[in-house]
């Protein structure tokens, strides 16, 4: 009887653990993408690059809609009033001093913002990591006070910036606390750490993120989202040429 | 002509009304140490040293509400000349937008050669290759912009003539839209330049791997045979632009533009003032990180085999502060479009925005 109770207890413990272990890497990545996918968003933030000469900052406001539409307006002194409107197939740049409207397509769509690690694609709503990467669950690790899934992503195509990614994903909140970006051979290039989070509409999202360039000494970029609203009603004219050149 | 100062004062005062509500002036200061050498007729080289610069003081209204404006004064050293670069207000009504004042309208496409720019003209080669923006001419104008959809609009413009004679007023309009992946822009301006003439243009932009853009315009004088005039004035600008990501975060931008004037000279005219049928503009910019930019620019005249060259590097050292250095020079005989004349220039300086 005693042996039977022990067996039942072990069985219950195993069953209780089942949902955690049953999650596949694809399901974990799918959950992250779901959390980071918004129908619309309005945000403002600051990008700060630190090197041995000090800190250089740029501030911006951003509006996003659906999978591909975004409008970014720079508010910092040197770039004030410069705007970038990105749609699925086009990138429009507006320079207020020259009243110049430039339309770009092709490779320009994949460029980074202000020479940072943040691409225009990162600013838009929908994320589809699994379309570009194969995911493998490499176990669990504790990062500070957070228990994390460790998922390794390997690029399916050569069109992505990083052939390999290693992610530390909170088992409860699905916050990606840490990411490492590497070459095919495993050489570490960049490391991303979430320093602060904020809860928006029931989702825990990063507020302050540090990006360290592992190929250069004493350089790091910090992206701070100072305000964020998601899934709100936006005037469709925000994503028009009329608003871009206003 | 007596009316001019009065009108100028009114235009200046209007933007200054909301300049007081502006977020504070922005000053963009450039200062350069210039060392240049020129070969004298005796064959010796005369070296000169100068300190030169500009300060653009801009009062911009806050970026909110339905009325916006900007007033910008350009101070040049050592001439100590002050020019009014911009002074305009823009009003957003529910269905259209009104712009009044001294500003620029960007018609057509192209960094240096843009046949679609029928308002200001962007086909000459008299530009400073060290300038960030190659075409920045502004003019007093009134424009109405009527949106027709997300990526389409009609724009009408009125520009007073220098004489202020009503009959010499320039009038123009353009239509801008996208058709599939193609941008289509077409318009016309009617202006007085040794008699009234009409300058229609068309401008297209698309992507074939690199982005491409094509513009063409003609001047059709009312008093002359339009066909002869069209042949004389026809010009076509064509450009390619491509950005290449190198490694993780390094960017190489390449631009090649050409200006084709089919009915101008296609043989060497042995004159620095010749109107050649073919000109090129090439630009390569390499950004290895978010602080450094290497820039190469060249205007090329293949018919007389001359060129203007500029090589520069810009280093963003501190917040909104950059150190810049440029080397400029021409390659060509003394009677070419870009004559050598033994002239070389080196500029080292700084830019600061505060």
């Amino acid at each position: 009887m005693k042996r039977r109770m022990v067996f039942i207890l072990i069985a219950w413990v195993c069953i209780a653990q089942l949902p955690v272990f049953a999650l596949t890497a694809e399901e974990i990545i799918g959950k992250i993408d779901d959390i980071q996918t918004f129908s619309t968003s309005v945000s403002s933030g600051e990008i700060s690059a630190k090197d041995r000469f000090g800190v250089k900052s740029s501030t911006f406001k951003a509006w996003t809609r659906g999978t591909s539409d975004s409008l970014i307006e720079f508010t910092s002194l040197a770039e004030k009033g410069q705007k970038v409107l990105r749609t699925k197939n086009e990138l429009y740049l507006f320079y207020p001093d020259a009243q110049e409207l430039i339309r770009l397509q092709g490779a320009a769509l994949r460029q980074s913002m202000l020479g940072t690690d943040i691409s225009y694609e990162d600013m838009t709503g929908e994320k589809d990591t699994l379309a570009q990467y194969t995911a493998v669950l490499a176990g669990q690790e504790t990062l500070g006070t957070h228990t994390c899934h460790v998922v390794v992503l390997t690029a399916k195509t050569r069109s992505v910036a990083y052939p390999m990614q290693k992610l530390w994903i909170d088992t409860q909140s699905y916050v990606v606390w840490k990411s490492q970006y590497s070459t095919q051979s495993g050489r570490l290039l960049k490391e991303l750490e979430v320093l602060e989070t904020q809860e928006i509409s029931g989702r825990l999202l990063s507020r302050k993120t540090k990006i360290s360039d592992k190929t250069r000494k004493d350089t790091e970029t910090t992206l701070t989202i100072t305000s964020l609203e998601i899934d709100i009603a936006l005037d469709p004219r925000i994503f028009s040429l009329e608003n871009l050149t206003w | 002509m007596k009316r001019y100062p009065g009108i100028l004062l009114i235009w200046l005062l209007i933007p200054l009304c909301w300049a007081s509500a502006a977020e504070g002036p922005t000053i963009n200061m450039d200062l350069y140490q210039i060392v240049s050498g020129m070969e004298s007729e005796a064959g010796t080289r005369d070296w000169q040293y100068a300190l030169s610069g500009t300060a653009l003081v801009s009062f911009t209204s806050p970026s909110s509400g339905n009325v916006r404006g900007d007033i910008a004064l350009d101070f040049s050293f050592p001439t100590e000349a002050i020019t009014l670069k911009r002074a305009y207000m823009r009003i957003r009504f529910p269905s259209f937008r009104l712009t009044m004042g001294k500003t620029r309208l960007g018609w057509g496409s192209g960094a240096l050669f843009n046949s679609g720019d029928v308002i200001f003209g962007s086909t000459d080669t008299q530009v400073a290759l060290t300038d960030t923006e190659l075409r920045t001419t502004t003019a007093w104008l009134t424009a109405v912009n009527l949106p027709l959809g997300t990526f389409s609009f009609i724009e009408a413009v009125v520009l007073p003539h220098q004489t202020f004679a009503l009959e010499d007023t320039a009038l123009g309009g353009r239509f801008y839209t996208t058709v599939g992946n193609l941008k289509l822009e077409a318009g016309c301006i009617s202006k007085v330049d040794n008699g009234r003439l009409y300058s229609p243009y068309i401008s297209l932009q698309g992507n074939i791997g690199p982005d491409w853009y094509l513009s063409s315009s003609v001047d059709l004088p009312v008093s002359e045979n339009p066909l002869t005039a069209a042949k004389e004035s026809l010009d076509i600008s064509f450009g390619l632009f491509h950005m290449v990501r190198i490694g993780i975060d390094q960017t190489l931008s390449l631009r090649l533009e050409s200006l084709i004037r089919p009915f101008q000279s296609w043989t060497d005219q042995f004159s620095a003032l010749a109107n050649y049928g073919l000109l090129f503009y090439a630009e390569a910019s390499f950004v290895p990180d978010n602080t450094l930019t290497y820039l190469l620019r060249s205007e090329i005249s293949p018919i007389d085999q001359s060129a203007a060259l500029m090589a520069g590097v810009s280093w963003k050292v501190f917040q909104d502060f950059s150190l810049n250095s440029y080397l400029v020079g021409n390659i060509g005989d003394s009677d070419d479009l870009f004559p050598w004349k033994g002239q070389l220039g080196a500029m080292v300086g700084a830019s600061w925005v505060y």
Side-chain angles (χ1 to χ4, degrees), chain A residues 48-58 61 65 69 73 75-81 83 85 87 89-92 94-112 114-117 119 161-163 182-183 189-190 213 215-216 221 236-237 239-246, chain B residues 23-26 56 58 60-61 63-68 70 86 88 90-92 94 97 103-106 108 110-111 133 135-136 138 145 147 149-153 176 178 180-183 205-207 209 211 241-245 247-251 255 288-291 315-320 353-354:
Chain A
S48 298
K50 184 182 165 192
D51 59 20
R52 61 200 171 104
F53 293 97
V55 178
K56 302 170 193 88
S57 300
S58 295
K61 287 181 187 174
R65 179 181 64 184
D69 296 341
E73 178 178 357
T75 51
S76 40
L77 198 63
E79 307 89 12
K80 195 173 181 180
K83 294 182 191 175
L85 175 63
T87 66
N89 299 315
E90 299 149 319
L91 191 72
Y92 290 91
F94 179 67
Y95 297 96
D97 291 353
Q99 290 294 306
E100 192 175 10
L101 174 64
I102 297 173
R103 180 178 186 257
L104 300 172
Q105 293 168 288
L109 291 165
R110 294 190 293 274
Q111 294 304 309
S112 63
L114 297 169
T116 66
D117 276 349
S119 72
Y162 303 102
S182 312
T183 62
L189 300 169
K190 295 268 162 80
D213 186 340
T215 63
R216 295 191 187 103
T221 303
R237 287 180 300 179
F239 306 97
S240 68
L241 290 187
E242 195 279 326
N243 189 53
L244 179 73
T245 57
W246 170 238
Chain B
E23 295 171 340
T26 302
L56 186 72
S58 170
T60 308
S61 65
S63 59
S64 58
N66 288 316
V67 183
R68 290 187 184 181
D70 184 19
R86 299 187 299 272
Y88 67 87
R90 183 171 290 151
I91 308 120
R92 189 187 223 174
R97 194 169 70 198
T103 185
R104 182 173 175 82
L105 295 177
E133 297 285 341
R135 305 284 186 188
T136 57
T138 54
N145 186 295
T150 308
F151 299 108
S152 302
F153 61 84
Y176 183 111
T178 51
N181 283 331
L182 197 69
K183 181 209 84 171
Q205 188 268 334
N207 181 269
D211 285 343
F241 176 75
H242 193 50
M243 292 175 89
V244 185
R245 193 167 182 159
I248 301 304
D249 53 8
Q250 301 179 338
T251 305
R255 185 185 297 278
D289 57 43
N290 57 4
T291 60
W315 177 28
K316 190 175 176 182
V317 188
F318 304 115
Q319 177 81 42
D320 302 328
V353 184
Y354 61 98

Side-chain angles (χ1 to χ4, degrees), chain A:
Chain A
M1 189 66 184
K2 192 179 175 184
R3 188 180 289 179
R4 195 177 168 188
M5 282 300 291
V6 170
F7 174 77
I8 291 169
L9 190 61
I10 291 169
W12 270 112
V13 168
C14 291
I15 290 165
Q17 292 292 319
L18 205 58
V20 174
F21 289 115
L23 275 177
T24 64
E26 286 81 5
E27 286 168 332
I28 294 166
I29 296 298
K31 276 182 177 287
I32 298 169
D33 285 350
D34 285 347
I35 289 169
Q36 295 179 352
T37 298
F38 323 125
S39 60
T40 59
S41 75
V42 182
S43 61
S44 57
E46 180 178 13
I47 301 168
S48 298
K50 184 182 165 192
D51 59 20
R52 61 200 171 104
F53 293 97
V55 178
K56 302 170 193 88
S57 300
S58 295
T59 54
F60 65 88
K61 287 181 187 174
W63 296 257
T64 71
R65 179 181 64 184
T67 59
S68 53
D69 296 341
S70 68
L71 174 73
I72 299 160
E73 178 178 357
F74 295 100
T75 51
S76 40
L77 198 63
E79 307 89 12
K80 195 173 181 180
Q82 292 180 17
K83 294 182 191 175
V84 182
L85 175 63
R86 187 185 184 277
T87 66
K88 190 173 183 181
N89 299 315
E90 299 149 319
L91 191 72
Y92 290 91
L93 311 176
F94 179 67
Y95 297 96
D97 291 353
Q99 290 294 306
E100 192 175 10
L101 174 64
I102 297 173
R103 180 178 186 257
L104 300 172
Q105 293 168 288
L109 291 165
R110 294 190 293 274
Q111 294 304 309
S112 63
M113 277 172 60
L114 297 169
T116 66
D117 276 349
I118 301 129
S119 72
Y120 294 111
E121 285 172 332
D122 292 334
M123 298 300 294
T124 54
E126 189 168 310
K127 308 289 181 287
D128 192 0
T129 310
L130 294 173
Q132 296 176 315
Y133 288 92
T134 303
V136 174
L137 188 58
Q140 284 192 357
E141 286 180 18
T142 302
L143 206 67
T145 57
H146 312 289
T147 306
C148 297
H149 297 294
V150 181
V151 174
V152 175
L153 301 175
T154 308
K156 292 177 181 174
T157 67
R158 300 183 70 177
S159 64
V160 295
Y162 303 102
M164 288 185 74
Q165 292 185 32
K166 191 175 180 182
L167 313 177
W168 282 259
I169 303 151
D170 197 300
T171 54
Q172 301 299 313
S173 62
Y174 292 92
V175 169
V176 183
W177 290 107
K178 184 175 160 184
S179 319
Q180 288 183 335
Y181 302 91
S182 312
T183 62
Q184 194 86 48
S185 61
R187 182 178 158 234
L188 184 59
L189 300 169
K190 295 268 162 80
E191 190 171 88
L192 186 148
E193 283 179 81
V194 172
L195 305 178
E196 292 174 23
T197 56
Q198 56 188 335
E199 191 172 334
I200 309 287
S201 303
R203 310 175 197 207
L204 201 59
L205 300 166
S206 63
R207 202 188 88 81
K208 192 171 185 179
T209 306
K210 185 177 85 175
I211 303 150
S212 307
D213 186 340
K214 296 297 178 185
T215 63
R216 295 191 187 103
K217 279 184 180 176
D218 306 322
T219 64
E220 64 180 45
T221 303
T222 306
L223 170 66
T224 307
I225 303 297
T226 49
S227 73
L228 173 65
E229 292 178 272
I230 61 172
D231 298 330
I232 56 168
L234 284 183
D235 187 340
R237 287 180 300 179
I238 286 171
F239 306 97
S240 68
L241 290 187
E242 195 279 326
N243 189 53
L244 179 73
T245 57
W246 170 238

Side-chain angles (χ1 to χ4, degrees), chain B residues 252-267:
Chain B
L252 176 67
S253 302
L254 301 167
R255 185 185 297 278
L256 178 65
E257 293 182 353
S258 61
L259 179 69
I260 303 154
R261 293 179 283 201
F263 300 99
Q264 297 297 326
S265 179
W266 289 80
T267 55

Side-chain angles (χ1 to χ4, degrees), chain B residues 214-282:
Chain B
L214 173 74
S215 301
S216 182
S217 65
V218 290
D219 291 336
L220 303 173
V222 174
S223 56
E224 289 179 35
N225 182 340
L227 275 178
T228 310
K231 273 178 64 177
E232 287 289 316
S233 63
L234 174 65
D235 58 57
I236 301 156
S237 62
F238 177 72
L240 292 168
F241 176 75
H242 193 50
M243 292 175 89
V244 185
R245 193 167 182 159
I246 299 171
I248 301 304
D249 53 8
Q250 301 179 338
T251 305
L252 176 67
S253 302
L254 301 167
R255 185 185 297 278
L256 178 65
E257 293 182 353
S258 61
L259 179 69
I260 303 154
R261 293 179 283 201
F263 300 99
Q264 297 297 326
S265 179
W266 289 80
T267 55
D268 195 340
Q269 298 298 300
F270 305 103
S271 166
L273 302 171
N275 277 327
Y276 287 118
L278 183 64
L279 293 167
F280 289 114
Y281 170 68

